[in-house]
Amino acid sequence: MQFPRTCLILCSALLLCSSFTYGQKASPPAPIALTPTPTPAPAPAPDYVNLTYLLSVAGPFHTFLNYLESTKLVDTFQNQANNTKQGITIFVPKDSSFKGLKNPSLSNLSSDQLKSLILFHALPKYYALADFSELSTKSPVSTLAGGQYTFNITDDSGTVHLDSGWSKTEITSAVHSTDPVAIYQVNKVLLPEAIFGTDIPPMPAPAPAPTPDISPAADAPSADSKGGSSSKSLPSNSSSRSIVELSLSIWSQMVLAVFGGLVLLF
């Protein structure tokens, strides 16, 4: 009886062990820990562009800069450049462009008109030189002055022309062209029709080309030289008279000699 009891105990132990092992296998797996995805760093903000400093050192733009500061529009330009996503494009005339401006004159403009004229030299968006080809298809383009203050842009094989009606000019150089600020030099002040009207005086006719100085060929004698050579080839009156007198003198001597010979013979 001892053996069957021992066998029963062993079978019961084996059954318990197998049940425990099955329970461990059937239990749900432990959750897998997920690694969090890192958040991408924000794009760095563009460098701050100081327009006052840039215009004062980049070229002969002191007159335009003085207008910006006197009309207090430098803050407007600066805000558009650094505090908007669009940026700004500025067309800056040289100092000589303002000095050569006589008709019409800027001295008769009101303060509001002067502000509009300065704003007329800027577009409320950054444009690289390569962008003007597409922009020219959308002419006339709006300026920072808004409203009726527009002008036409054309791109002629990379040369960008601006036409405001009163002013026809072109971009002569890129002073600064890094997003969000583009500054381009132009050789004329942009005069808007919204201020000066549409009665635009005709452009002066271009000066006639100088007449080329055509000198006669070296071997072609002039009329004077022809007359001189003919006069040299013909004897003068005094020369003719001397020849006639010499001939008469010879003939008279011959006549006298013949006459004397006849006298001797007879």
Side-chain angles (χ1 to χ4, degrees):
M1 294 297 291
Q2 184 70 25
F3 176 78
R5 184 180 297 174
T6 303
C7 184
L8 181 61
I9 292 172
L10 289 175
C11 290
S12 299
L14 289 173
L15 182 63
L16 290 174
C17 289
S18 61
S19 299
F20 180 74
T21 303
Y22 177 77
Q24 284 185 336
K25 290 181 178 180
S27 61
I32 301 174
L34 299 177
T35 304
T37 304
T39 304
D47 295 335
Y48 179 86
V49 179
N50 189 325
L51 296 178
T52 302
Y53 173 78
L54 190 58
L55 291 174
S56 63
V57 301
F61 307 131
H62 302 291
T63 305
F64 186 81
L65 180 57
N66 289 338
Y67 278 121
L68 269 179
E69 294 176 337
S70 63
T71 56
K72 310 214 180 295
L73 288 175
V74 65
D75 295 333
T76 303
F77 278 50
Q78 200 71 67
N79 180 69
Q80 181 69 29
N82 295 299
N83 299 328
T84 67
K85 294 181 180 180
Q86 290 78 18
I88 192 172
T89 299
I90 309 172
F91 304 101
V92 187
K94 298 186 297 183
D95 290 341
S96 58
S97 301
F98 287 94
K99 293 178 181 178
L101 189 62
K102 296 185 174 17
N103 186 24
S105 174
L106 305 186
S107 59
N108 298 326
L109 300 182
S110 65
S111 59
D112 290 339
Q113 288 176 329
L114 188 57
K115 287 182 179 180
S116 296
L117 183 138
I118 298 302
L119 291 170
F120 188 62
H121 286 75
L123 305 181
K125 187 178 179 181
Y126 166 79
Y127 290 101
L129 280 173
D131 299 328
F132 285 106
S133 178
E134 180 181 355
L135 186 61
S136 63
T137 63
K138 303 175 182 178
S139 287
V141 297
S142 299
T143 65
L144 205 58
Q148 303 175 8
Y149 291 85
T150 62
F151 57 77
N152 293 312
I153 293 179
T154 56
D155 187 344
D156 183 11
S157 301
T159 302
V160 181
H161 299 270
L162 313 178
D163 185 357
S164 69
W166 283 83
S167 305
K168 299 180 188 297
T169 184
E170 64 185 36
I171 293 177
T172 55
S173 66
V175 179
H176 180 89
S177 183
T178 303
D179 195 6
V181 176
I183 300 177
Y184 300 109
Q185 176 180 296
V186 293
N187 51 19
K188 285 186 181 180
V189 179
L190 297 176
L191 304 176
E193 292 182 352
I195 293 178
F196 300 100
T198 58
D199 187 14
I200 303 172
M203 297 292 292
T211 304
D213 185 11
I214 303 176
S215 301
D219 56 350
S222 61
D224 292 341
S225 61
K226 290 180 180 179
S229 60
S230 60
S231 62
K232 289 180 181 179
S233 61
L234 297 176
S236 61
N237 294 335
S238 58
S239 300
S240 301
R241 189 179 302 110
S242 299
I243 293 173
V244 172
E245 291 177 353
L246 180 60
S247 300
L248 292 176
S249 176
I250 293 173
W251 278 104
S252 61
Q253 291 179 5
M254 290 178 64
V255 169
L256 290 176
V258 171
F259 183 75
L262 295 174
V263 171
L264 291 175
L265 290 175
F266 294 102

